[in-house]
Every structure is written in C-alpha cells, then in structure tokens.
Amino acid sequence: MAVDEALRQLLATARGTPFTACELVSLRQADGRVLAEDLRAAIDLPPWANSAMDGYAMRLDDLATQPLSVSQTVFAGQAPGPLQAGSCARVFTGAPIPAGADCVQLQENCRLDEQGRVSSLTTLRLGDNIRPQGNEIRAGAPLLAAGTVLNPIALGVLASQGISRVSVVSRPKVALLSSGDELAGEGAILGPGQIFDSNRVVLASLLDRLGCEVIDLGRVPDDPALLRAALTQVAGIELIISSAGVSVGDADCIGALLREAGEVKLWKLAIKPGKPFTFGHVGTIPLLGLPGNPGSALVTFLLLARPYLLARMGVARLEPMRVPVVAGFSWSKAGKRQEYLRVRLDGGRARLLENQSSATLLSAVQADGLLEVPAGETFEAGDVLDFLSFDGVF
Ligand code: AMP
Ligand code: MG
C-alpha cells in the first residue's frame, strides 16, 4: 500500500473518532496544546489610535501655519485631551493620539525654534506614523480557529486580547510499549543477544511534544498472553502505540494479538524505512504498531502516527511541512517504495548521511531531516526534492 493511501485511511478513521474532552488552562500551560474553540477578538487592537514613533502629533491642515506651539505632552499609558487648534502635541511611541490630530511627524524631521515651537522639515500625509484603532484586528473578528496548535506567537496574540485562559483539547491517554524478548531496560547489564530499548524514550518524548499523556507500559516480551495482560492493566486508554513485533517472520506478537482481536490493517507499506507499519484494534482501542528498527519507528511515527494523532485532536494542519531543497547528490537506483533519506543541509544543499540503515538512530541525530524520494524515481545532484525538517515535526 502506498504511503499516501495509508495516510488517507488513517486520517479518515481518526476524523471519525475525535478526542472530544477539553479543559481550561492558563496561557502558560497552553503552549503546544490544541485550541478547542473558535476564538473571536474581544477588543479592537490597537484599542485606540497611537503613535508609531517619538515625535509630534499634528493636524495636516495646521502645517500651513507653522511653527506650531506644543500644547501638551503624551506618554504611552496616558490619556490625552483633544488637540488645541493650531498647535501640536509631543508624543512618544505607543502614546494615544489626541483627538483632532491626524498625523505624527518624527522628532528627527522637526526643527524647534527658541520658543520651542515646531516646524516640520518634510511633507506629511494623512495618517503618517499613526497606528489606527482596530488596525490589527476589530473586536468580533475571527482571531484563532479551533484546531490551532498554540505556539508562543499564538499565546502572545491571546495575551494581547486580554485572554488569560483558553479551552484546549485534553491530553489524550496514549499507552506506549516496546515489544521484544531481546530488550533490556536502562541500568541493565546486557546479556547475550540483548539490546537496550531505545524506541520507547524516542516515542514517549515525541508523544509528550504532541501534548499526549503517555502511559508507559514498559517492555513486553514476545508473548501474546503477556502483551494482552499489559494492555488490559490500564483503564481509559485512547490509543496504543507499540514498537516491534510486526514484521513477517518475527515472533510477531503484536500482529498475532491484532489478528486474534479480529482486525489488522495496513500491512506492508510502500515506505522505506517502515514497511511493517500496522494499524488495528485491541478490543475497541486503536493500536498503531510501529516497526522495531529505530529508524523505521521514527519515520513511521512522523509520517503516519503523528498526523493520525493530530487529526484525532482536531488539528487542521496535519501534514509535516515540506520545503523544496536542492539535492547535493544523485540517486540512480529507483526504489519500489517511497523513501525517506536522512540528510543534512549544508549551504542549502541536502547532503546524504552515510548510514541509511533502518537499524540506526545515529545518522538521524546527525540529520536535519528527511528527503522524500517518491517510489520509482531517480534524481541528479542539483534536482529539487521535498524535505521534511525534524524541527518542523518535533
Ligand atoms: P522487529 O520489528 O521485532 O522484527 O524488530 C526489528 C529490529 O528492531 C530488531 O533488530 C530489534 O532488535 C530492533 N528493536 C526492536 N525493538 C526495539 C527497541 N525498543 N529499541 C531498539 N531496537 C529495537
Ligand atoms: Mg521483535
């Protein structure tokens, strides 16, 4: 199955099973969370016309009778009186514009005579250097839509509206486990044939960043009975994410569990790395079965599990941002599967990291992201391909 088709099916399922719980949080708790409500502007922004510069607020028509005496001084945070006819007002950046003034001249474009009267040295137009009321947004206009992932900028927009608490999608409860008889935990001394479990900390951290509540079920041996026992331990789970035990010829306990539960989907994806990615249900709980190889687990999480989770959280923009980059190497052997190459961007060109094995994480940590090579395609150095930056998906 093509990656796009797998994603389409996953997203259709996800949209049919949205996480509906939400909670009110303060802005400082809202970074990275998904906005659960459409928000409109509460106030005009700016709330009143104010000066963009340090200078003098005046009426354009009065410039015919310069110099103008200074009738008042307005700092940011003060409330000015109306502008006296034939005068100007000393204003500083952010100061409200006195009623009747229709432009601001920068102080460096003014000459002051001995009596402190002001002449403009350049011509002005109506509204110069004034930030009009409601220029940024009008009260009642759409501000942020439900499904927006709140980032520091969005939080600033909310703060500028005087909004201090927002409704966000509750953290989905995601159970995470690593399967495999060979896996040893942190602090262990490796026995024969054992390796340390690295997938779980990668996936747990990725899930944290997506705003999930991770329920860590730890390492589970390749034994469907133990696996089932682990999965029935915790209540309220909304999704299970596992790694390993899904490739054909493997001890294959995740696959066995899903087949037993009656449903396995999306076998053998045309993706490299990540072919054995699996989706199914344990009872009513969806399970995303990621491959065991660390490179494959990473790529399938980013390309399939992440958008699936975001879709269930109601996020509008699901797909990782793809940006065109110039390849700094050629690719002469077309693959049968869509391929994700670990590359580093040097001087704006993608450089291929040496070790592209699905079993290694080290080249992924050295990479800036993934270069997407469609199935059946070759390319030359200098050709442009889509690039997915790790920064963008983390
Ligand atoms: P499997 O999908 O079970 O066939 O595993 C594929 C490869 O990934 C094997 O070499 C496993 O030892 C390795 N592997 C499985 N789980 C993990 C894990 N949690 N951390 C690191 N490597 C793993
Ligand atoms: Mg295994």
Side-chain angles (χ1 to χ4, degrees), residues 49-57 91-97 104 129-131:
N50 68 99
S51 180
M53 293 290 186
D54 293 338
Y56 297 87
V91 291
F92 297 93
T93 305
I97 300 294
V104 168
N129 303 309
I130 292 179
R131 302 188 283 220

Side-chain angles (χ1 to χ4, degrees), residues 200-352:
R200 200 151 39 92
V201 73
V202 174
L203 298 172
S205 304
L206 288 168
L207 289 167
D208 282 346
R209 288 182 179 213
L210 291 178
C212 299
E213 181 185 335
V214 178
I215 296 153
D216 190 349
L217 299 182
R219 289 165 284 116
V220 183
D222 288 314
D223 176 342
L226 290 177
L227 192 61
R228 212 175 310 109
L231 290 176
T232 46
Q233 250 169 47
V234 208
I237 291 172
E238 297 171 284
L239 176 67
I240 303 161
I241 294 189
S242 67
S243 73
V246 283
S247 34
V248 188
D250 186 85
D252 192 21
C253 65
I254 300 280
L257 181 85
L258 290 177
R259 277 191 296 274
E260 180 193 281
E263 195 197 20
V264 199
K265 283 182 179 161
L266 308 178
W267 281 98
K268 290 192 187 159
L269 287 194
I271 184 173
K272 188 180 178 185
K275 185 166 73 174
F277 176 86
T278 298
F279 177 70
H281 287 85
V282 177
T284 57
I285 308 169
L287 181 148
L288 298 174
L290 309 185
N293 274 312
S296 311
L298 176 68
V299 166
T300 51
F301 184 91
L302 297 180
L303 284 151
L304 298 165
R306 177 182 178 275
Y308 167 86
L309 255 166
L310 292 178
R312 289 188 71 185
M313 292 165 97
V315 174
R317 203 171 171 181
L318 299 173
E319 293 231 36
M321 192 187 287
R322 288 165 165 84
V323 291
V325 304
V326 177
F329 58 98
S330 64
W331 195 251
S332 52
K333 203 170 153 240
K336 288 204 177 80
R337 296 180 270 162
Q338 181 146 310
E339 194 149 350
Y340 291 89
L341 303 174
R342 282 157 253 180
V343 297
R344 209 180 155 86
L345 297 188
D346 287 331
R349 296 193 138 214
R351 178 168 65 76
L352 186 68

Side-chain angles (χ1 to χ4, degrees), residues 346-361:
D346 287 331
R349 296 193 138 214
R351 178 168 65 76
L352 186 68
L353 288 162
E354 207 176 304
N355 191 344
Q356 293 290 325
S357 161
S358 62
T360 181
L361 266 188

Side-chain angles (χ1 to χ4, degrees), residues 52-298:
M53 293 290 186
D54 293 338
Y56 297 87
M58 40 188 78
R59 195 177 288 125
L60 211 49
D61 287 349
D62 289 342
L63 284 172
T65 59
Q66 341 187 33
L68 303 170
S69 60
V70 178
S71 55
Q72 60 177 318
T73 298
V74 196
F75 292 96
Q78 294 186 332
L83 186 69
Q84 276 174 35
S87 78
C88 65
R90 180 78 169 112
V91 291
F92 297 93
T93 305
I97 300 294
D102 54 22
C103 61
V104 168
Q105 178 58 291
L106 316 191
Q107 60 191 26
E108 49 271 46
N109 290 342
C110 291
R111 191 183 56 229
L112 269 67
D113 67 13
E114 314 79 60
Q115 284 108 34
R117 291 175 307 176
V118 175
S119 300
S120 170
L121 300 174
T122 64
T123 55
L124 281 165
R125 284 162 311 169
L126 208 64
D128 273 357
N129 303 309
I130 292 179
R131 302 188 283 220
Q133 176 174 346
N135 186 40
E136 185 177 333
I137 194 164
R138 286 278 180 200
L143 186 69
L144 292 176
T148 302
V149 179
L150 297 171
N151 66 13
I153 304 169
L155 299 180
V157 166
L158 296 175
S160 74
Q161 284 287 322
I163 295 169
S164 56
R165 288 160 78 78
V166 279
S167 177
V168 296
V169 175
S170 295
R171 297 186 186 282
K173 279 195 167 66
V174 180
L176 177 66
L177 66 95
S178 294
S179 85
D181 289 342
E182 74 277 35
L183 300 179
E186 55 197 29
I189 293 169
L190 289 185
Q194 285 195 308
I195 59 166
F196 288 114
D197 172 6
S198 62
N199 285 344
R200 200 151 39 92
V201 73
V202 174
L203 298 172
S205 304
L206 288 168
L207 289 167
D208 282 346
R209 288 182 179 213
L210 291 178
C212 299
E213 181 185 335
V214 178
I215 296 153
D216 190 349
L217 299 182
R219 289 165 284 116
V220 183
D222 288 314
D223 176 342
L226 290 177
L227 192 61
R228 212 175 310 109
L231 290 176
T232 46
Q233 250 169 47
V234 208
I237 291 172
E238 297 171 284
L239 176 67
I240 303 161
I241 294 189
S242 67
S243 73
V246 283
S247 34
V248 188
D250 186 85
D252 192 21
C253 65
I254 300 280
L257 181 85
L258 290 177
R259 277 191 296 274
E260 180 193 281
E263 195 197 20
V264 199
K265 283 182 179 161
L266 308 178
W267 281 98
K268 290 192 187 159
L269 287 194
I271 184 173
K272 188 180 178 185
K275 185 166 73 174
F277 176 86
T278 298
F279 177 70
H281 287 85
V282 177
T284 57
I285 308 169
L287 181 148
L288 298 174
L290 309 185
N293 274 312
S296 311
L298 176 68

